[in-house]
Amino acid sequence: MKSNLITRGGHDLLVAELKHLWHEERPEITKKVNWAASLGDRSENADYQYNKQILRKIDRRVRYLGKRLEELHIVDFSAEQAGKVYFGAWVDIENEAGEQKTLRIVGVDEIYDHHPQHISIDSPMARALLSKQVDDEAEVMTPSGKKTWFINAIRYEPSEKPD
């Protein structure tokens, strides 16, 4: 089961995507479908069929986002989190071989191809890091066995700190 947690920034991105799809992409594709339909025989009209397929894809995503946004719980940074790894944290870690990574613990809806540093709160790595502090060790079970990571730094997005 996927968690319903999301950072404020992640929530804002999903809301922006929904608005873009509904107010910009969908009306544009709808015009193309109507234009192609006006040409007549729809069964052999590639423009009509292609744009109708895109419209269905947009509608599916709009429905999904509408439902998902209602289920999500925004987690903002609170002062009690300072110094420990919690949801939304950026964590610098290092293993015994000296390999270093910077990861951010986020909700499943915030993991995108263009954010390779984002890991799901539901992942084994995130679970191992939660509640840890700088200089703590986190042991993570991987397919190749147990791995130990050392926590070098913890920080939170400035935009998510309370005023």
Side-chain angles (χ1 to χ4, degrees):
M1 183 176 134
K2 54 181 175 175
S3 67
N4 290 334
L5 303 178
I6 193 164
T7 63
R8 182 156 309 274
H11 185 270
D12 292 348
L13 286 174
L14 292 182
V15 168
E17 179 186 355
L18 179 59
K19 285 180 181 175
H20 174 75
L21 287 171
W22 189 251
H23 295 292
E24 293 176 37
E25 280 195 44
R26 192 176 194 288
E28 182 181 320
I29 297 298
T30 301
K31 284 180 194 170
K32 289 179 181 178
V33 168
N34 289 337
W35 169 81
S38 72
L39 299 177
D41 187 8
R42 296 177 187 175
S43 64
E44 294 183 19
N45 185 331
D47 277 331
Y48 175 82
Q49 291 176 356
Y50 175 73
N51 286 300
K52 193 71 173 164
Q53 182 180 4
I54 292 173
L55 189 59
R56 282 192 296 270
K57 186 177 177 183
I58 290 170
D59 285 344
R60 272 194 306 274
R61 183 67 178 164
V62 164
R63 276 192 308 276
Y64 172 79
L65 288 172
K67 288 179 183 176
R68 189 68 180 142
L69 285 166
E70 290 175 7
E71 299 169 347
L72 293 171
H73 174 71
I74 298 171
V75 178
D76 287 315
F77 172 80
S78 68
E80 299 85 51
Q81 290 176 259
K84 288 195 174 191
V85 178
Y86 292 109
F87 186 83
W90 282 98
V91 186
D92 296 334
I93 58 175
E94 183 175 355
N95 65 13
E96 293 150 335
E99 178 187 0
Q100 297 182 359
K101 292 183 180 199
T102 298
L103 304 171
R104 185 170 191 211
I105 300 173
V106 296
V108 293
D109 299 280
E110 298 177 83
I111 299 177
Y112 307 110
D113 294 334
H114 57 277
H115 284 296
Q117 295 174 311
H118 285 185
I119 62 170
S120 168
I121 184 75
D122 300 325
S123 70
M125 176 66 88
R127 297 244 180 246
L129 292 171
L130 287 175
S131 299
K132 301 282 195 242
Q133 301 178 64
V134 172
D135 294 331
D136 282 354
E137 291 181 9
E139 290 188 345
V140 184
M141 285 306 298
T142 68
S144 60
K146 191 183 289 186
K147 304 282 184 198
T148 302
W149 291 89
F150 303 95
I151 300 172
N152 292 332
I154 303 165
R155 65 191 175 284
Y156 290 87
E157 293 282 318
S159 63
E160 296 185 19
K161 291 182 181 175
D163 296 329

